[in-house]
Every structure is written in C-alpha cells, then in structure tokens.
Amino acid sequence: ARKAVAPRPSARSFRVVARAADAHRLNQAFSETPFDGFKFEPITEHQVSRAMTSRYFKDLDEYAETDVIIVGAGSAGLSCAYELSKYPNVKVAIIEQGVAPGGGAWLGGQLFSAMVVRKPAHTILDELEVPYEDEGDFVVIKHASLFTSTILSKVLQAPNIKLFNATAVEDLIVREDELRGKYVGGAVTNWTLVSLNHDTQMCMDPNVLESKVMVSSTGHDGPMGASGVKRLQKLGMVTGVPGMAALDMNTAEDAVVRNTREVVPGMVICGMEVAELDGCPRMGPTFGAMFMSGQKAAHCALNSLRR
Ligand code: AHZ
C-alpha cells in the first residue's frame, strides 16, 4: 500500500489565507464602536411603572385645579402656551386629544415641508431662534416641524406647564353667578381612546379639571375641531357658529388675530376656532395669524385672571 502524502500548500494558497486574516482584522477594527461593552444600570419593572404612574397621577392631582386650560396643542395653542411660559406663577394645563401634539403644524400645507409666516409674526421665530429665509414681506421656515418641535421643546420644559396628550375635552364646566352670569369653569375630559368608544361601552364617566380661564384652540370644524364654540352654541352661550368663510389670505389673518378674545366669561378662543365662530375667511397655509392669535389669547387669559 502506498503511504498517503499530505499535499504541500502552494504559494497561492498562502496568499489567500493571509488575505483572509487581513480582512478579518480589518472587519474587527471596523465593527468596534464606542458603545461596545455598554451596560445599563439595574432596574426592575415595578420601578419603571411607578416612575411613570406616580408622576402622571401627581400631575392630575395638581392640575385638577389650574389657572389656565389650553384645549388643543396646534400652532395657536402652543403659541399661547409659550407666551404663558413667561409667567411662571400661572399654572397651565394643555389638553390635546392626539398622541402627537402639534395639530396641523408638522407640515406647511398639503404635504409640503416649508412653512410660510407673514411679517411681522416672524418676531416669535426670532425669540424661539427658529431660522428662516427672509422673502421680504414674509419668511419661510425650511420645515414646519422645525417650528413645532422647537416651540414644543420650550413649552414642555416650562415648570408651570403640563401637557396631557391623548386626552380629549368632551365638554365644559359651566356655572353661573351674579357678577359674570354664565361662565366656563373648566374642562370635562376623557382619554381619547375612551371618548372614541362611548358607543361601544356602558357609561364611562369623565375626569374633570377646573380652570379660572380656558383657552379653546381646537382648530376648524372636524370630528373634534371647533368643539369649544360648538358646545357654547348648544348651550345658548353664543348665537351661532357659521363656520369659516372661503379662503382669502390677506383678510383672514388680520381677522383671526383681531377677533381673538374672551368670548364668554372664562373662555378665550384663538386660532382657526375664531374663524369658525365669526365666519372669517380661511387663510390656508400661512401660519403667522396662528402664532399671533395664540400669543394674544395668552394675554386675554392673563387679563381674565387679573379680574
Ligand atoms: O387634535 C387637535 C389639534 O391638535 C386638538 N383638538 C381638537 N379638538 C380637541 C378636543 N380636545 C382636545 N376636543 C382637541 N384636543 O386641537 C388642535 C388644533 O390644532 P390645529 O392645528 O388644527 O388648529 P390651529 O387653529 O392651532 O391651527 C390651524 C392651522 C391652519 S388651518 C388653515 C386652513 O384650513 O386654512 N390654515 C392654518 C394656518
């Protein structure tokens, strides 16, 4: 029998093995990251649950009585909240039915990114340090989300402001006294998922927050929109809600800011809800009036608190 002889490696196979080793070393070098070996501190599940729920229910407890309730966190409601953040002694609850605050202000119009703001409403952008391109009589922010995320970050950091999102205002507290007659005294709320399921369940009673003044900024008509003024109409506290008129940018924006006011004692309206109540024209995708109307609403609310 012939003895088996192991084949001798050729020079070529040496080169192949050497190249593979190099590639392996190279791969290792590239797969190293500053996070290799990262390790979290220990935690238990109940700690996570309590960290969230204790704060949420403490907030609900604290805001069961509040100075201002802002209903709706669109561009008008957020501008109002931002203005009120300058008054740290004024306690403000924002109630937003959506999970995502911001209303229609994540896009500039249709599905376009840029947001147009007519002067002189750009002053709030300077304050917020939101960059824009100056086009003369108006300015353009490169993405509406830049405005919305920036104002949200300021509002949410303010110690006097709490956002309750995924929560819908279903109704108003209305009381009467000799001095004011009928006035709005707060908001009847429910988690939005509950509000959307009233038809499918037995009575699911709400949670109620008392306010000294409410700012209703629920936008134009829709399943939830313009809910503040529509409820006032049903209660006979305003005579009619004709709905916004056809679009006319030039007149619409001035009208919305001009008509932003305390419409009944204890309730200020701002943003597109004003156009719904007063039949002002719609402005379409220019946002200056929303900012100014929100800021003006903050001062109407402050005046109401001072009375
Ligand atoms: O989810 C709504 C949105 O975020 C929220 N909201 C409505 N009803 C609510 C309720 N409880 C709690 N019952 C509620 N939250 O209110 C917010 C309204 O934001 P928006 O962006 O729709 O309104 P706005 O008035 O702040 O801004 C309007 C922007 C428009 S619409 C328009 C046009 O159609 O021509 N042009 C502009 C600039």
Side-chain angles (χ1 to χ4, degrees), residues 250-261:
N250 261 314
T251 55
E253 293 209 85
D254 291 330
V256 163
V257 180
R258 187 173 58 246
N259 293 1
T260 297
R261 64 194 183 282

Side-chain angles (χ1 to χ4, degrees), residues 71-77 95-98 100 102-105 167-170 217-220 224-227 244 247 270-273 282-287 290:
V71 188
S75 47
I95 303 182
E96 166 54 53
Q97 55 100 13
T167 305
V169 171
E170 294 185 339
S217 50
T218 64
H220 56 62
M224 299 271 194
S227 51
M244 63 188 174
L247 191 149
C270 69
M272 278 308 282
E273 198 164 342
R282 160 182 213 187
M283 73 284 303
T286 57
F287 281 80
M290 298 300 113

Side-chain angles (χ1 to χ4, degrees), residues 95 101 131 160 232 245 303:
I95 303 182
N160 59 324
L232 289 181
N303 289 342

Side-chain angles (χ1 to χ4, degrees), residues 27 142 154 158 218 221 289:
N27 271 344
K142 73 173 179 182
K154 310 271 182 204
T218 64
D221 203 4

Side-chain angles (χ1 to χ4, degrees), residues 19-82:
R19 268 207 302 273
D22 278 351
H24 180 68
R25 270 197 297 277
L26 210 63
N27 271 344
Q28 259 190 332
F30 277 123
S31 64
E32 276 169 21
T33 77
F35 299 95
D36 293 347
F38 188 91
K39 179 119 179 61
F40 285 98
E41 299 296 341
I43 202 163
T44 63
E45 287 72 11
H46 71 259
Q47 283 177 307
V48 177
S49 302
R50 286 190 180 130
M52 295 185 297
T53 56
S54 61
R55 283 168 179 78
Y56 192 85
F57 288 103
K58 185 170 161 285
D59 285 335
L60 272 183
D61 180 67
E62 199 178 320
Y63 285 89
E65 280 177 284
T66 187
D67 295 316
V68 183
I69 292 176
I70 299 174
V71 188
S75 47
L78 288 175
S79 300
C80 177
Y82 171 68

